[in-house]
Amino acid sequence: MSSLDWIVLFGTLTTIAAYGVYKTYGPKDFDSYLRGKNSMNWWTIGLSIMATQASAITFLSTPGQAYEDGMRFIQFYFGLPLAMIIISVAFIPIYYKLKVYTAYEYLETRFDLKTRTLAALLFIVQRGLAAGITIYAPAIILSTLLGWNLTLTNIVIGTVVIIYTVSGGTEAVSITQKQQMAVMMGGMILAGIIVIQMLPISFQEALHVAGKMDKLNIVNFEFDFADRYNVWSGMTAAVFLFLSYFGTDQSQVQRYLSGQTLAQSRMGLIMNGFLKIPMQFIILFIGVMVFVFYQFFLPPVVFNKVQTDNLRQSEYAGEFENLEKQYEANFESSKSSYLELLEAIENEDEAKESLIQNEIKTLKSEQNEIRKEVKSLIVTNDPEAETRDTDYVFMRFVMDNLPEGIIGLLFAVIFSAAMSSTASELNALGSTTTVDLYKRSVKKDATDTHYLLSSKLFTAFWGLGAILFATYASLFENLIQAVNLLGSLFYGTILGIFMVGFFIKWVKGRAVFIAALISEALILLIHFKNGEGLFGFVWEIGFLWYNAIGCIAVMLIGMFIQVISRK
Amino acid sequence: MEENKIRWKYFYGGLLLALVVLIALFYWLKVSYS
């Protein structure tokens, strides 16, 4: 990277962090630290909610996913607007009425202390681990791209977040997220415009290339339990995930509890409902345009440059060079086929179109074979090497092709995303530990100043924990899935408890508590025996469905236990 | 922003309508360029 890029990157990050500290500096009480003085308007809340959900993984993995697999991932978000409406109607008014600091406080009012503590603990375990992954996942990619030490990258991301989150609390988190979101969206839109301008063909032709290569597979109306990316899974299973995440996960609940009024909070959620799918579309579409770009300009054989550089230095350099030559020849044939394809489309020669389309697909599978051979060479040379390179596609494209300054801005996008989601997580972990565990069950009648200090200390504690976890975590096969899976194991149960609370008034605390324990055991059993089965009964369920199963299980078992215990 | 002055059903209806329009647009994009 050039010095201009470094200036843009560090300038952006330090300005945002310093602004957050400066704007929220000064004396605070416990209430304003946790609820941000209830000063947030709807669009700050909306941006804050979006910035919390948009982690660095979103910007690193999603374009790469579109590059390889097309845009079908977007269907996962179709349930989000529905979830926003349900939360606006049923969840927020109750939180506001009870004036809670955390979502779990509600559970004590409705059920009992043990249900509240169970939900708070489940949140802490799951979010505590997720906070580590939120730092680690981008750090491993960024450290490779920038040539930094992994531990140092973890520490840089973690420390900056700890400074402004501990210092300014919820208000600092929301204020910085507003700026971070502007950087993220501005950077991505700019990258999108630049990549489209760099294409050697027209935009219309680019869409044809993408469509013919099945990259515009945005909607699929065929239902399939095993494939989660279809309209129906998005509209059903994903709704449960989003209800749980936005309605009961303190890292999101804390964002809209800082609203000036109930109406402002609702409006923030509705804004998220309107903007999330278009935002995700833009990110995926950029990935597709990068794909089109690389059909006309030679793409790297493997997108992780460090690994190909290592291979060049090794005894396998000769073999690698041969494979690279084959790869280049394949690329040249495929490029000229594309030009023929575009000509056929222009002449409306459908027979020729499908002939060339098949020809390109054969060339693509040959290309994939060469890539596989290179990857197996990488592993032969270094058995520890991770050969999945999807997450490197977008930033490698940025580093190789975008102008000076913009590269720094795009790195600022990734770092901002990592920081904004980590900040919400630490803020929520600090609040939940203080309000639901420490203040409620350990030290019940201390002063306001004492709890303010404890909140700060717990936030810092979780931040340091996340850095430590990030430093020692090993690479997960797919970053997005790892984080989502972690949520899915607990989310269904937590949502089930809240749903019983909101909608099935006659089920009491004891019944829902036992139902939650049984449901969690059921989910863990389903997960760990998935594909293997038990007592000859084999099942294969996608993790997205765990949320729905967990939630419905808590509701049904809860009702059953309540009915039985009455008799 | 006064809670009782806002007709939320229009916001919710608008949101659902936007979702349907988006899905229709996506479908059109997929079909037109495949």
Side-chain angles (χ1 to χ4, degrees):
Chain A
M1 286 213 307
S2 69
S3 2
L4 178 66
D5 290 316
W6 289 111
I7 293 169
V8 172
L9 172 59
F10 281 102
T12 312
L13 299 181
T14 47
T15 308
I16 294 175
Y19 180 76
V21 173
Y22 165 75
K23 280 293 274 186
T24 55
Y25 193 72
K28 266 179 215 62
D29 57 24
F30 181 54
D31 182 77
S32 63
Y33 186 77
L34 258 54
R35 271 202 289 243
K37 298 179 194 155
N38 279 103
S39 60
M40 304 305 158
N41 54 23
W42 63 271
W43 60 277
T44 306
I45 295 170
L47 289 175
S48 188
I49 288 170
M50 291 178 76
T52 299
Q53 195 189 13
S55 65
I57 297 164
T58 309
F59 295 95
L60 285 170
S61 293
T62 314
Q65 200 168 359
Y67 180 93
E68 283 205 340
D69 201 22
M71 297 181 72
R72 63 199 192 105
F73 177 56
I74 202 165
Q75 295 168 101
F76 177 67
Y77 291 93
F78 286 171
L80 189 141
L82 298 173
M84 293 302 100
I85 295 173
I86 298 170
I87 295 167
S88 278
V89 173
F91 290 39
I92 314 188
I94 296 174
Y95 292 151
Y96 261 85
K97 201 171 128 197
L98 297 173
K99 293 192 168 33
V100 290
Y101 288 110
T102 73
Y104 317 110
E105 265 186 281
Y106 157 73
L107 296 177
E108 187 174 359
T109 321
R110 169 67 177 82
F111 299 119
D112 48 29
L113 175 61
K114 63 179 184 300
T115 310
R116 170 186 179 176
T117 312
L118 174 72
L121 281 172
L122 283 177
F123 165 76
I124 285 172
V125 169
Q126 170 236 320
R127 205 34 76 184
L129 290 170
I133 297 176
T134 316
I135 296 179
Y136 169 76
I140 190 146
I141 297 158
L142 291 168
S143 61
T144 310
L145 290 168
L146 296 170
W148 286 5
N149 173 294
L150 175 63
T151 312
L152 178 77
T153 317
N154 285 330
I155 292 171
V156 167
I157 300 175
T159 313
V160 177
V161 175
I162 292 173
I163 290 171
Y164 69 77
T165 310
V166 170
S167 148
T170 303
E171 198 186 2
V173 172
S174 294
I175 285 176
T176 46
Q177 281 174 334
K178 221 171 13 176
Q179 337 276 335
Q180 284 159 339
M181 201 60 210
V183 171
M184 287 182 232
M185 282 325 291
M188 288 309 277
I189 290 171
L190 203 61
I193 294 170
I194 294 175
V195 61
I196 290 170
Q197 282 191 331
M198 284 168 73
L199 295 174
I201 52 175
S202 72
F203 183 58
Q204 190 80 0
E205 288 172 326
L207 287 176
H208 278 297
V209 168
K212 293 285 177 209
M213 289 297 107
D214 303 324
K215 301 295 171 190
L216 299 179
N217 49 353
I218 321 178
V219 279
N220 173 14
F221 287 104
E222 280 163 40
F223 182 76
D224 180 358
F225 255 112
D227 176 18
R228 65 184 172 284
Y229 300 136
N230 61 67
V231 173
W232 312 118
S233 293
M235 293 282 208
T236 52
V239 175
F240 286 89
L241 172 67
F242 291 126
L243 275 179
S244 195
Y245 177 55
F246 289 102
T248 73
D249 190 307
Q250 181 63 15
S251 62
Q252 282 293 0
V253 174
Q254 196 153 10
R255 311 279 71 77
Y256 53 78
L257 285 185
S258 63
Q260 288 161 2
T261 60
L262 170 62
Q264 299 278 358
S265 299
R266 278 181 161 164
M267 205 69 99
L269 277 176
I270 301 290
M271 174 182 163
N272 181 42
F274 270 109
L275 294 183
K276 184 69 195 180
I277 298 176
M279 176 182 141
Q280 214 60 35
F281 177 85
I282 292 173
I283 301 172
L284 284 163
F285 193 73
I286 291 172
V288 171
M289 288 298 111
V290 170
F291 169 83
V292 176
F293 176 87
Y294 278 135
Q295 303 316 301
F296 297 93
F297 296 97
L298 182 70
V301 190
V302 171
F303 282 88
N304 186 341
K305 195 166 181 284
V306 173
Q307 288 179 343
T308 45
D309 284 351
N310 284 345
L311 210 52
R312 271 195 193 95
Q313 310 289 323
S314 73
E315 52 182 306
Y316 304 100
E319 275 180 72
F320 178 49
E321 207 175 307
N322 281 337
L323 286 169
E324 263 191 320
K325 278 184 188 146
Q326 287 176 35
Y327 186 76
E328 276 175 41
N330 173 288
F331 166 78
E332 290 302 334
S333 324
S334 142
K335 185 177 160 183
S336 46
S337 299
Y338 272 118
L339 296 172
E340 282 176 44
L341 177 72
L342 291 172
E343 205 179 281
I345 291 170
E346 205 184 317
N347 299 332
E348 291 177 12
D349 184 349
E350 284 185 15
K352 200 175 172 193
E353 257 179 55
S354 76
L355 196 76
I356 304 172
Q357 194 177 352
N358 287 335
E359 199 180 291
I360 297 176
K361 281 186 178 166
T362 314
L363 283 168
K364 283 280 146 215
S365 60
E366 279 172 27
Q367 191 195 60
N368 282 336
E369 283 306 311
I370 301 171
R371 263 167 59 81
K372 264 188 206 159
E373 282 182 53
V374 173
K375 284 179 180 181
S376 66
L377 264 190
I378 290 173
V379 175
T380 319
N381 181 42
D382 173 13
E384 300 280 293
E386 168 59 54
T387 54
R388 257 180 56 81
D389 62 344
T390 321
D391 299 334
Y392 291 87
V393 171
F394 180 57
M395 286 316 280
R396 178 71 195 274
F397 163 79
V398 168
M399 290 181 87
D400 288 349
N401 301 289
L402 293 201
E404 269 185 28
I406 305 290
I407 300 175
L409 178 68
L410 264 300
F411 271 98
V413 167
I414 311 289
F415 275 100
S416 294
M419 288 176 182
S420 65
S421 35
T422 309
S424 285
E425 288 173 333
L426 300 187
N427 181 226
L429 282 165
S431 310
T432 308
T433 316
T434 311
V435 175
D436 296 300
L437 301 180
Y438 183 69
K439 185 169 185 275
R440 181 63 190 86
S441 304
V442 180
K443 200 170 172 72
K444 290 180 184 170
D445 33 41
T447 60
D448 198 77
T449 324
H450 177 85
Y451 292 128
L452 173 66
L453 184 68
S454 338
S455 299
K456 291 189 174 195
L457 287 175
F458 281 127
T459 309
F461 166 80
W462 284 111
L464 294 172
I467 295 177
L468 211 64
F469 180 84
T471 309
Y472 292 103
S474 57
L475 189 60
F476 292 87
E477 198 181 301
N478 185 308
L479 303 174
I480 297 180
Q481 287 185 8
V483 177
N484 280 346
L485 174 65
L486 203 64
S488 294
L489 289 179
F490 298 102
Y491 265 9
T493 308
I494 298 184
L495 177 64
I497 298 172
F498 279 85
M499 293 298 255
V500 171
F502 294 140
F503 299 111
I504 315 171
K505 302 279 183 201
W506 53 272
V507 175
K508 304 293 177 223
R510 195 169 150 267
V512 87
F513 184 78
I514 299 168
L517 293 181
I518 297 172
S519 304
E520 193 51 58
L522 179 73
I523 290 294
L524 292 174
L525 180 78
I526 289 175
H527 175 64
F528 288 109
K529 292 284 173 188
N530 210 355
E532 286 174 42
L534 207 63
F535 307 122
F537 179 67
V538 182
W539 59 83
E540 185 99 44
I541 299 171
F543 70 81
L544 189 59
W545 288 97
Y546 295 175
N547 301 289
I549 296 169
C551 173
I552 294 167
V554 174
M555 293 168 83
L556 292 178
I557 299 170
M559 287 194 279
F560 179 70
I561 295 173
Q562 189 67 46
V563 169
I564 286 187
S565 57
R566 269 183 191 169
K567 283 179 183 169
Chain B
M1 219 185 301
E2 284 296 319
E3 173 69 19
N4 51 11
K5 285 185 188 159
I6 300 171
R7 298 187 178 207
W8 289 105
K9 61 180 177 186
Y10 292 120
F11 278 99
Y12 301 149
L15 189 53
L16 291 178
L17 186 67
L19 177 65
V20 173
V21 170
L22 269 180
I23 294 176
L25 272 175
F26 292 160
Y27 183 71
W28 169 81
L29 194 62
K30 177 187 170 177
V31 173
S32 313
Y33 292 97
S34 63

